[in-house]
Amino acid sequence: MFGLSRRILPQQERAMGPLLIGSLVVSLLGLPIAAWLDLRALSERMLRTQADEISRIIDEVRGFYGSDVVGRILPAAGPITVTHNYRDVDGAVPIPATLSIELGKRISGVNGTVRYRFVSDLPFKGREPHHIDSFEQAALSRLRADPKQPVIDISGSFLERRVRTAAPVTMGAVCVSCHNTHPDSPKHDWKVGDVRGIQEISVVQPIAGNVLSFKFLLSYFAFVATAGLILIVLQRRQTRLIRGMNRELSDANDFLAGVSAKLAKYLSPQVYKSIFSGEKDVAIETDRKKLTIFFSDIKDFTAISERLQPEDLTALLNEYFTEMSAIALRHGGTVDKFIGDAILVFFGDPETKGVTEDARACLRMAVEMQQRLEVLSAQWRQRGIEQPFCARMGINTGYCNVGNFGSNDRMEYTIIGAAANLAARLQSIAEPGGICLSYETYALVRDLVEAQPLAPIVMKGLSREIIPYAVKGWSGEVSGRSQVIREQTPGLDLFVDPDAMSESGVEQAKRRLTEALAVLNLRTS
């Protein structure tokens, strides 16, 4: 499945690449082109509408002039007069105000987009009164206060907009003379420039009627929406594919993490870290380095194994190895291997703090191991182990070959050299519970320990004699470590760990030991 996913994903990417580029080009170029085409179409539509309205208005004016002006003059037998009630007088024609009123009726009587109306709040007597709305009333008031100030109102609904504009109808000299002398005039003190009324032009534009003018933009948005849906579908498919790959990668990572965690149990943490971080290659190769080698072995392990059941022995040995390994790691040692009941640890590879500090760290580790083993022995005795473990330890500093040894199919990271063999030999001559050093190590840690030289030993393969140094006490930074006292013989089971005691416990131990000493003195007296 993982291989199939890796083949499908590049195909999806190749398919989406041109599609994304094409969609981007269309999106960038399509919008201005569609907007320009729709604006041109809208302009043409508005121009046609305006031309139709102007043509209609001119037709209405021509029709009114033909019927109500020329049509009344030609058949007239008497003189031609101008009056507001021209239809009641033979041979009469309308005055300008009447002309405006009649034209407004004709122009507004047709269902067009333009309407015209002459409005006055001072009509002649006998004339049909004008219905004046709030806009017209406000326009009259404002224009009489300032005739040069235009009055415009924009209103409408969601689907229709309406623009109304009002202009003043001012009195000329002829109009003033007529209105001031005419008996039907409601006012006889007109002056030239007075605003008698307003002429209102109203333009209505339905929005729905222009929707189709944006057909190119609508087509563009439809295309973009379709392309967006396609991209969303492809993106979801790709997301599902990537999610599946992530699950596969997560499963693979979990599997590899589990395998690596299991492999880590067979390797020292330093070696495991260097391999998985890429610092070291898994190849058959070695380096020659100066290391400090630690070797420990349990005294009389064969006799102990004969007395214990295999299950108890296994549990005891695993607990011992666990405790000692934790101490080794805490001090920076590389746990090489467990050889039966023996432990091989070295300092200086793959991590080193320098030859001197490696040797000192190894000594501190050995001291802590012996102290911990004293505590473990007391615990094991309480659990019924008659003869707990007692370890001998040897430390040597010298050159070894360190690296991967073995075959291409199976290899082991370990050390080989006489220095390692000498550490094992030093362990064999150490006292139970003691630590034995070579001179090379003792020279590096002499400020930490008090050591006594032993009889020289000869090792096979070495032409010179080796002088071991048995650790007898501590000085320097390890001198503050409390010594654990342990002794077990028939009738005596003694274990004293000062570091584990409280102040009251120390006082109680003193009293009990004093009592025990008094009893022993009575026995010998």
Side-chain angles (χ1 to χ4, degrees):
M1 176 61 185
F2 183 65
L4 179 61
S5 300
R6 286 187 294 180
R7 291 194 297 271
I8 292 176
L9 187 57
Q11 296 175 0
Q12 294 280 357
E13 292 176 348
R14 288 195 296 269
M16 289 188 65
L19 181 60
L20 288 173
I21 294 174
S23 300
L24 181 61
V25 171
V26 172
S27 299
L28 293 176
L29 298 179
L31 182 59
I33 293 174
W36 178 78
L37 291 174
D38 283 336
L39 287 175
R40 186 180 68 173
L42 181 61
S43 298
E44 292 175 354
R45 181 183 178 88
M46 292 179 65
L47 289 173
R48 285 195 299 268
T49 302
Q50 293 173 6
D52 292 340
E53 286 298 305
I54 293 172
S55 176
R56 182 180 68 81
I57 292 172
I58 292 174
D59 288 343
E60 295 294 342
V61 173
R62 184 188 299 110
F64 177 81
Y65 180 78
S67 62
D68 285 34
V69 178
V70 176
R72 295 184 63 82
I73 292 176
L74 292 179
I80 304 301
T81 60
V82 180
T83 180
H84 67 285
N85 56 342
Y86 70 98
R87 286 192 176 92
D88 300 331
V89 180
D90 187 33
V93 294
I95 61 176
T98 304
L99 174 64
S100 297
I101 293 172
E102 295 299 328
L103 284 177
K105 292 179 179 180
R106 282 179 171 254
I107 294 172
S108 302
V110 180
N111 188 20
T113 60
V114 178
R115 292 177 173 82
Y116 170 79
R117 187 177 183 219
F118 177 85
V119 179
S120 175
D121 56 350
L122 298 170
F124 275 17
K125 296 177 182 179
R127 191 187 295 278
E128 180 182 354
H130 296 171
H131 173 70
I132 302 176
D133 59 20
S134 59
F135 168 75
E136 294 164 340
Q137 187 64 51
L140 283 169
S141 300
R142 291 175 59 183
L143 291 173
R144 281 173 178 163
D146 183 6
K148 296 181 180 180
Q149 180 68 31
V151 180
I152 301 174
D153 177 69
I154 301 175
S155 61
S157 63
F158 177 74
L159 297 176
E160 183 179 79
R161 303 303 293 169
R162 181 184 183 188
V163 178
R164 301 172 71 184
T165 177
V169 178
T170 58
M171 300 291 285
V174 175
C175 295
V176 169
S177 175
C178 175
H179 278 257
N180 286 342
T181 59
H182 200 288
D184 292 338
S185 175
K187 183 178 179 182
H188 296 90
D189 56 350
W190 291 103
K191 297 178 183 180
V192 176
D194 286 348
V195 176
R196 182 199 173 191
I198 61 171
Q199 55 181 4
E200 174 192 348
I201 298 176
S202 176
V203 180
V204 178
Q205 183 66 52
I207 297 177
N210 292 322
V211 171
L212 295 179
S213 299
F214 296 94
K215 57 184 177 181
F216 292 104
L217 277 176
L218 292 176
S219 301
Y220 168 80
F221 289 133
F223 170 78
V224 171
T226 303
L229 290 175
I230 293 174
L231 288 176
I232 290 173
V233 172
L234 293 178
Q235 185 66 30
R236 287 186 174 179
R237 290 182 59 189
Q238 190 175 34
T239 301
R240 287 195 299 269
L241 183 61
I242 293 175
R243 190 180 295 116
M245 293 179 63
N246 288 336
R247 284 196 299 268
E248 295 174 2
L249 287 173
S250 178
D251 294 341
N253 287 336
D254 292 342
F255 173 75
L256 292 176
V259 171
S260 64
K262 293 176 182 178
L263 290 176
K265 303 295 183 180
Y266 295 90
L267 298 173
S268 176
Q270 296 93 330
V271 177
Y272 168 82
K273 178 182 176 182
S274 63
I275 292 176
F276 280 85
S277 64
E279 297 176 7
K280 286 187 175 293
D281 191 15
V282 183
I284 299 179
E285 57 182 18
T286 61
D287 297 316
R288 186 163 178 80
K289 294 184 178 181
K290 193 170 187 178
L291 309 175
T292 295
I293 303 100
F294 167 89
F295 198 95
S296 71
D297 187 71
I298 298 175
K299 176 181 177 295
D300 297 331
F301 180 75
T302 302
I304 294 173
S305 62
E306 291 176 354
R307 288 194 297 269
L308 295 177
Q309 294 297 320
E311 295 81 4
D312 294 335
L313 180 64
T314 300
L316 199 65
L317 192 60
N318 287 337
E319 184 179 359
Y320 166 73
F321 284 148
T322 300
E323 295 284 346
M324 299 300 107
S325 297
I327 296 173
L329 295 178
R330 193 157 52 245
H331 289 273
T334 300
V335 180
D336 186 338
K337 61 173 67 71
F338 303 117
I339 310 169
D341 61 307
I343 303 175
L344 175 60
V345 181
F346 57 85
F347 288 74
D349 188 80
E351 300 174 353
T352 180
K353 297 179 181 179
V355 176
T356 300
E357 185 55 37
D358 288 341
R360 299 166 76 90
C362 184
L363 176 64
R364 287 191 289 265
M365 176 198 71
V367 171
E368 185 175 349
M369 283 182 173
Q370 290 288 19
Q371 291 179 341
R372 181 58 182 166
L373 190 54
E374 295 284 351
V375 176
L376 291 175
S377 296
Q379 296 175 359
W380 290 334
R381 282 196 301 272
Q382 293 176 2
R383 284 155 47 182
I385 306 300
E386 181 182 0
Q387 188 175 354
F389 293 162
C390 183
R392 294 186 293 247
M393 299 179 181
I395 302 176
N396 179 41
T397 300
Y399 282 93
C400 289
N401 289 333
V402 57
N404 294 322
F405 293 86
S407 66
N408 291 327
D409 298 327
R410 190 179 188 281
M411 58 188 67
E412 183 179 5
Y413 193 87
T414 187
I415 58 174
I416 292 179
N421 298 334
L422 178 56
R425 179 67 184 276
L426 292 172
Q427 169 274 137
S428 65
I429 64 174
E431 295 180 358
I435 303 172
C436 192
L437 311 177
S438 68
Y439 177 78
E440 287 79 2
T441 302
Y442 173 68
L444 298 173
V445 301
R446 64 174 62 199
D447 59 325
L448 301 181
V449 297
E450 298 174 0
Q452 175 184 351
L454 303 179
I457 60 174
V458 178
M459 277 193 60
K460 188 176 182 180
L462 293 179
S463 59
R464 62 183 178 89
E465 290 184 341
I466 304 298
I467 300 178
Y469 286 79
V471 176
K472 296 299 183 180
W474 317 114
S475 61
E477 64 181 80
V478 297
S479 61
R481 300 176 186 269
S482 299
Q483 185 175 1
V484 176
I485 301 173
R486 184 188 67 176
E487 186 65 37
Q488 184 182 21
T489 60
L492 174 64
D493 189 357
L494 177 63
F495 176 80
V496 180
D497 184 0
D499 288 338
M501 293 182 180
S502 62
E503 292 298 329
S504 60
V506 171
E507 295 300 324
Q508 182 179 0
K510 289 180 179 180
R511 289 196 301 271
R512 298 299 293 174
L513 290 175
T514 301
E515 294 172 359
L517 183 59
V519 171
L520 293 175
N521 288 333
L522 290 176
R523 171 71 183 273
T524 58
S525 61

